[in-house]
Amino acid sequence: MTAMPQGRARRSALTSAVCALVVTGTALTGCAGEDPDAGTNGVGKLPAAQIQSRTRAAADTADAVHLSGNVVTNGRTYRIDMRLKSGGGSGSVTSQGATFGLLRIGSQLYLKADAEFWNHADGGGDTGAADKLDGKYVKVPQDDPAYRKFSGFTDKTVLLDGLLTLHGTLATDGRHKQSGVRTVRVTGDQGSGGTLDVSLEGRPYPLRLVRAGGAGTLTFSDWGRDFPLREPEKSDTVDYGKQLPTS
């Protein structure tokens, strides 16, 4: 076997070192003729608008998703951690220092919070009622303002329709990684209209969203992974009546 000339060997080693530095950077690019789309689902080759269309279709048809992060709306920041599917959802929401749990099974929504939450919702007027609701799953009547206010957090279709939106001119912004998964990034108006990282592995699910105008950052995981939704025990359930105390 003919030995590689010393100069060529040095160039080969230098090329390998440069490739290693490029691959370990923030944006993943091809090196020495390598195809950056090798082994991917191929959406990275598409125009930004088509990538967004594909990821919305993947999200809409997924049976379930785990969504977590911050959402800013109407001047209020909500920290959400929800598991969602077509039949309902469960998880927690934190706003203004108060955390409450949400559970929806079909059309029945339950809200679970401590006495301080209920006391604040009632304007501090009925501490006895707040104590009775402390730590219980409270049935929320469908015609109550609280139902309209909180049920959207448990509705996969409503929540994704409201969140998975980029504003302005769409463009791609290189290859990245999210929780170890290769992604292609789509931006609106060079990032001022939001950014969305889309999986290049498996189905093109959205994995990370930075909303326009500093309106929050969300991550999406466990796409298609089912989870149980169970009615709470009767001993842990309170039917408050026709209308809940709400702020």
Side-chain angles (χ1 to χ4, degrees):
M1 180 182 293
T2 303
M4 182 182 293
Q6 190 172 16
R8 187 183 300 173
R10 288 198 191 98
R11 287 195 297 273
S12 177
L14 179 59
T15 300
S16 298
V18 171
C19 283
L21 288 172
V22 171
V23 169
T24 55
T26 301
L28 304 182
T29 61
C31 194
E34 294 178 4
D35 181 3
D37 291 297
T40 73
N41 54 28
V43 298
K45 299 179 180 180
L46 300 176
Q50 289 189 32
I51 297 174
Q52 186 186 43
S53 177
R54 293 280 185 92
T55 196
R56 283 301 307 271
D60 289 344
T61 57
D63 292 332
V65 64
H66 179 200
L67 185 156
S68 62
N70 296 319
V71 174
V72 182
T73 180
N74 296 325
R76 179 176 291 189
T77 299
Y78 296 90
R79 170 71 187 176
I80 60 179
D81 187 356
M82 298 295 302
R83 292 186 178 275
L84 309 168
K85 60 181 180 179
S86 60
S90 66
S92 65
V93 177
T94 301
S95 177
Q96 297 182 320
T99 299
F100 52 92
L102 292 172
L103 169 64
R104 184 176 61 84
I105 303 174
S107 61
Q108 181 59 65
L109 176 68
Y110 299 89
L111 196 158
K112 183 178 182 180
D114 60 17
E116 184 178 355
F117 172 90
W118 291 112
N119 191 41
H120 174 74
D122 196 33
D126 190 350
T127 57
D131 289 340
K132 291 178 181 178
L133 302 179
D134 182 26
K136 300 290 187 179
Y137 286 95
V138 179
K139 287 186 175 182
V140 182
Q142 292 187 45
D143 58 353
D144 189 277
Y147 192 98
R148 294 188 293 274
K149 184 176 181 179
F150 297 128
S151 62
F153 287 113
T154 67
D155 191 313
K156 174 176 174 286
T157 299
V158 169
L159 205 53
L160 294 184
D161 282 350
L163 293 174
L164 291 179
T165 301
L166 298 176
H167 301 279
T169 302
L170 299 182
T172 55
D173 184 27
R175 310 303 173 85
H176 302 262
K177 277 193 172 182
Q178 176 63 31
S179 300
V181 178
R182 289 177 292 173
T183 67
V184 59
R185 182 167 295 170
V186 180
T187 66
D189 279 349
Q190 300 181 329
S192 63
T195 68
L196 182 66
D197 280 36
V198 177
S199 177
L200 288 171
E201 302 177 18
R203 299 204 67 191
Y205 292 123
L207 298 184
R208 183 174 184 268
L209 171 71
V210 178
R211 303 182 72 207
T217 299
L218 294 154
T219 58
F220 307 86
S221 60
D222 295 338
W223 285 103
R225 182 176 296 179
D226 195 16
F227 60 94
L229 285 174
R230 299 189 180 94
E231 295 279 355
E233 297 291 334
K234 288 186 177 182
S235 59
D236 289 331
T237 305
V238 175
D239 190 342
Y240 190 82
K242 293 183 178 181
Q243 188 172 24
L244 300 179
T246 184
S247 57

